[in-house]
Structure formats: C-alpha cells, structure tokens
Amino acid sequence: MTTSDKRFFQELDQVLGKHPEKEEIIAEYRSHVYELLSEEDIQDVYHEIVKRLGTPEEIAAIWKDEAKVTPKKMQLLFVILNVLIFLGGIILTIIYNVYHVEWIEVLWKRLTAVPSIIIMVYMAFWGLLGYEIGKEFGSGGLKILRRTFTYAIIPNLVLMYLIVFKLIPRDWFQPLLSGPFIVACIVLTIVLYPISWIGYRWGRKASV
C-alpha cells in the first residue's frame, strides 16, 4: 500500500464516522483500489483514485444516504411487491372465472397466449430484487438478499402446493397449466435465487 492510498482510506475512515457498515465499505473500496493499481503504472495515485471512485467526502455522502434504506425496509418492500403480484393474479383469475367481465376475458386470453412473457417478467422482478439490494448495501447485502429471497418465495411455494394437491380448481388456470409450463415453473423456481444473485453482483458493482 502506498502513501497516497493510505491517505485516501484514512480520510474515508474519518468521514464515514460511525456508519454501521464502515468496515464493509472500506473493504469494498480497498478491492477496487487494488484492481485500479494493478492496471497500470499510475503517477498520481491519490488523484487517480479520486477521479475513478470519487472523493472520500462524496463516497461518505452516498453511503450515509443509503444507510437510510434499512434492510428491513428493503425486505418488506420486495415481499409486499411479490405478494401484490400474486394477489393481482388471484383477483384476475377469480374475476375471469366467476364474473366473466369482458375486458378481463380479453386480457386473460392475451396473457395465457404468451406464458413466456409472464416468465420473463417474473424473472426480471427477481433480478431487480438482487440488483437493488446489491446497489443499496454493497458487499454487506448478501445476507439481506438471502433473507429477502426466503420470505418473498413463500407465496410461490404455497401456490405450487395448492395446485399440486388440487386445493384450488386447476381448470381455472387453463390453458397455462400445460405440462411444459408446469415444468418451466419448477425450473424457474429453482433458478430464481441464481438470477437474484446475478442481479446482486451487478448492483454491487454499480454501487461503486
């Protein structure tokens, strides 16, 4: 470690003050500074670090703002969003099968005609979950991602249980419940965490 990057981290340590994730933040930036220094022979190390990453004051300001977004709030947000998606689907299904509203029937037919779009949108939701957690919490966000994923996946598992054991009318979900679609849903459930993890890694890089 050179005098210049020592100075950078001393200043960063000072301006971060009593930030709850201070150690994780400094460790995160150490890895980026290490990568920066290994790229080429840099003459003014401190200037190059500040140019690439920002001044210690700018970095501290960003992280202090992000500290206002607590892990519990983030978890609650995505759990609620996932529940709302399921409630929206349930309400749509009930209206279509019970009340036969014309515009709902048109919407239902369009949605069930392109199940691949439903799958892609849902995959994007879980990727966004990981991205936002990585962006907001950086290297300290992996535990938050795991907890949030665990809570948010519960509605998926409950719905699959209800359908498999025929506790809700399977014919309500036709023509979605074809063999290929069911297999796709099972596979999708398995890969949701890797998708969220990839989003997390992307968001983590974007946070720097």
Side-chain angles (χ1 to χ4, degrees):
M1 184 175 287
T2 66
T3 303
S4 296
D5 51 302
K6 279 184 179 179
R7 171 191 165 193
F8 174 81
F9 285 111
Q10 285 173 350
E11 292 177 1
L12 182 58
D13 181 273
Q14 183 177 3
V15 294
L16 282 172
K18 296 182 179 180
H19 193 286
E21 297 180 15
K22 182 176 182 178
E23 293 183 3
E24 290 84 357
I25 294 169
I26 292 177
E28 178 78 17
Y29 280 87
R30 282 190 193 281
S31 66
H32 288 288
V33 169
Y34 177 80
E35 291 176 4
L36 186 154
L37 295 178
S38 64
E39 288 180 4
E40 53 186 314
D41 185 20
I42 300 173
Q43 298 300 321
D44 189 341
V45 175
Y46 184 88
H47 175 76
E48 191 64 26
I49 293 173
V50 169
K51 179 182 175 182
R52 300 273 193 97
L53 304 179
T55 65
E57 290 77 13
E58 290 171 343
I59 294 170
I62 292 171
W63 283 95
K64 285 177 181 178
D65 286 339
E66 292 185 349
K68 297 175 184 177
V69 183
T70 65
K72 287 186 177 180
K73 288 181 181 178
M74 181 66 73
Q75 289 170 18
L76 184 61
L77 171 63
F78 278 101
V79 169
I80 289 175
L81 283 175
N82 197 41
V83 170
L84 288 177
I85 290 173
F86 271 81
L87 286 177
I90 290 170
I91 293 170
L92 178 64
T93 302
I94 292 173
I95 294 175
Y96 172 74
N97 287 280
V98 177
Y99 298 103
H100 305 289
V101 179
E102 184 177 352
W103 70 270
I104 292 291
E105 291 183 1
V106 174
L107 178 60
W108 179 270
K109 289 176 181 178
R110 289 183 178 179
L111 288 174
T112 56
V114 282
S116 58
I117 293 180
I118 298 174
I119 292 174
M120 290 176 64
V121 170
Y122 202 56
M123 289 173 65
F125 167 80
W126 287 91
L128 177 64
L129 182 152
Y131 176 83
E132 288 298 328
I133 290 176
K135 185 178 179 181
E136 293 293 342
F137 301 104
S139 59
L142 189 57
K143 291 182 179 179
I144 301 170
L145 173 64
R146 290 171 180 166
R147 288 198 301 266
T148 306
F149 179 86
T150 300
Y151 297 144
I153 198 69
I154 291 174
N156 303 53
L157 299 178
V158 170
L159 181 61
M160 289 179 66
Y161 176 87
L162 294 175
I163 291 175
V164 169
F165 290 95
K166 300 181 180 180
L167 297 177
I168 54 176
R170 293 184 62 175
D171 57 339
W172 278 22
F173 295 91
Q174 298 300 333
L176 281 177
L177 290 183
S178 61
F181 186 77
I182 293 175
V183 172
C185 287
I186 294 172
V187 173
L188 177 63
T189 302
I190 295 172
V191 301
L192 282 180
Y193 183 76
I195 290 172
S196 299
W197 183 83
I198 292 171
Y200 161 76
R201 295 287 296 181
W202 185 16
R204 179 179 167 182
K205 289 183 179 180
S207 69
V208 178

